[in-house]
Amino acid sequence: MRTDVFIKDSVGHLMTQAFITLHESFTVDQAITHVRKYVRDKENIHYLYITMHDNTLTGVLSLRELLAAHGGAELRDIMKTELYTLPAHLDQEIAAEHFQDTDLVSMPVINQKEQLLGVVHVEDMLDVIEEEVTEDFQKMAPVSALEEGIKDASVFTLYRKRIGWLVILVFMNVFSGAGIAHFEDVIESNIALVFFLPLLVDSGGNAGSQSATLMIRAMATGDVTVRDWVKMFTKEISVAIALGGTMALAVATVGLFRGGPEIALVVALTMVLIVIVGSLIGMSLPFIFKKFNLDPATASAPLITSIADIVGVLIYFSIAAWLLTL
């Protein structure tokens, strides 16, 4: 079976034909003779795959189990029938997760008729994991995935991979400026508010980035799925309230000296709300991306920070306008 007929990132493209099959009617002695005949040109033979005449996979044996069995026993009586298999069309990233879950060193690849097509080894999966982790880090930058190493990439390639997201984020940040412009009167009458603006909006972005990073990693390891959104949302609210409250105490102390009790109250309330909103945005975006079959890593830190900045500006000056004009 040619591997080049499969999609590049599929298991079928990754598999090898370096494996040995045995018919389930073989005795142990016949199987050992067969293995001796064909093993010399094979590498990484950890398991022996038991098939029927039409190459349908029915069982598996390790070399140790074969050598330890009675010579006259038939393979169908000693083989393991609980099989861990990989469909040929499966994405290699999902296959890597299966290897992590099973701790196997090799897994058979089958077609829709459960016929054996090839084998994927754990060494190949280590390369896949490294590629996927690198791609996720690039997306979190955010940078479009590089097909080559950064040392070998041209200046134009690096420019092309980075400029798209940067332009998008520039236009997103325009909304922050529009929010500030909308509250010019409030700012003019309470100039001390400007001092706390970077501090507050950055806190929301930082909290959101933390939440997103934790959630993206949890999704990557399979610890969290889309169905866990409600549970994680509830937990994140509790954590965000505690974080926001602690940070509010610190910033209120500074606000008291810089602008008096009213400014201290404004920045304290803003800090609590911004941290809560930023954390929930950071926690929720990976779920939203996953729901629409997009890579959660695309919910990158700069994207979350930009969204949190816009929301933070609106929250800050809305609270200031409300409290300082009472």
Side-chain angles (χ1 to χ4, degrees), residues 26-317:
F26 280 11
T27 64
V28 169
D29 286 338
Q30 290 174 325
I32 291 175
T33 300
H34 184 87
V35 171
R36 284 175 178 167
K37 182 179 179 180
Y38 293 101
V39 75
R40 291 181 181 178
D41 60 341
K42 302 290 191 303
E43 296 181 356
N44 297 327
I45 301 300
H46 305 288
Y47 305 109
L48 306 168
Y49 299 101
I50 318 302
T51 61
M52 296 192 293
H53 289 295
D54 63 353
N55 207 39
T56 299
L57 184 63
T58 57
V60 64
L61 276 175
S62 68
L63 277 172
R64 180 184 61 80
E65 291 168 334
L66 178 67
L67 295 174
H70 187 273
E74 291 189 353
L75 298 186
R76 63 167 57 94
D77 296 326
I78 62 172
M79 68 184 184
K80 291 181 179 178
T81 56
E82 184 179 347
L83 302 173
Y84 294 96
T85 60
L86 300 172
H89 64 274
L90 188 70
D91 185 89
Q92 61 182 19
E93 185 175 5
I94 300 176
E97 294 175 2
H98 288 322
F99 268 90
Q100 291 174 318
D101 293 337
T102 60
D103 293 328
L104 295 174
V105 293
S106 300
M107 292 184 73
V109 181
I110 59 172
N111 60 16
Q112 293 180 342
K113 297 180 180 180
E114 297 189 354
Q115 294 172 317
L116 182 62
L117 300 180
V119 173
V120 174
H121 300 296
V122 69
E123 303 96 284
D124 302 315
M125 286 296 104
L126 293 176
D127 294 335
V128 170
I129 292 172
E130 182 179 357
E131 291 175 6
E132 297 296 340
V133 170
T134 300
E135 183 179 339
D136 286 348
F137 270 107
Q138 290 171 351
K139 288 179 178 178
M140 292 176 70
V143 177
S144 300
L146 292 170
E147 291 78 20
E148 56 190 324
I150 189 171
K151 185 172 68 174
D152 300 321
S154 67
V155 172
F156 176 73
T157 298
L158 294 174
Y159 164 82
R160 181 168 52 86
K161 294 294 184 179
R162 296 170 62 179
I163 190 61
W165 268 110
L166 288 176
V167 171
I168 292 173
L169 294 174
V170 164
F171 283 102
M172 287 186 64
N173 288 327
V174 168
F175 291 102
S176 296
I180 294 172
H182 180 73
F183 291 98
E184 282 183 354
D185 293 339
V186 178
I187 296 172
E188 288 179 2
S189 59
N190 298 276
I191 197 64
L193 294 173
V194 176
F195 175 83
F196 296 96
L197 180 58
L199 183 154
L200 292 169
V201 296
D202 285 353
S203 296
N206 292 338
S209 297
Q210 284 184 337
S211 299
T213 301
L214 292 173
M215 212 54 57
I216 291 169
R217 183 55 185 165
M219 286 183 171
T221 60
D223 187 38
V224 171
T225 64
V226 175
R227 291 176 296 181
D228 298 316
W229 181 81
V230 174
K231 179 179 179 181
M232 298 309 302
F233 187 88
T234 305
K235 181 178 291 188
E236 189 64 26
I237 288 178
S238 301
V239 174
I241 291 173
L243 292 173
T246 304
M247 297 168 72
L249 289 175
V251 76
T253 303
V254 180
L256 193 61
F257 286 99
R258 291 285 304 187
E262 290 183 336
I263 297 296
L265 180 59
V266 169
V267 296
L269 289 176
T270 301
M271 179 63 81
V272 173
L273 287 177
I274 281 181
V275 171
I276 292 174
V277 172
S279 297
L280 294 180
I281 290 172
M283 186 278 300
S284 298
L285 275 182
F287 283 97
I288 295 172
F289 278 87
K290 191 73 172 180
K291 184 68 175 179
F292 288 98
N293 295 319
L294 300 172
D295 193 335
T298 309
S300 57
L303 176 61
I304 291 167
T305 300
S306 296
I307 297 174
D309 284 353
I310 297 168
V311 176
V313 167
L314 296 176
I315 290 175
Y316 182 33
F317 290 118

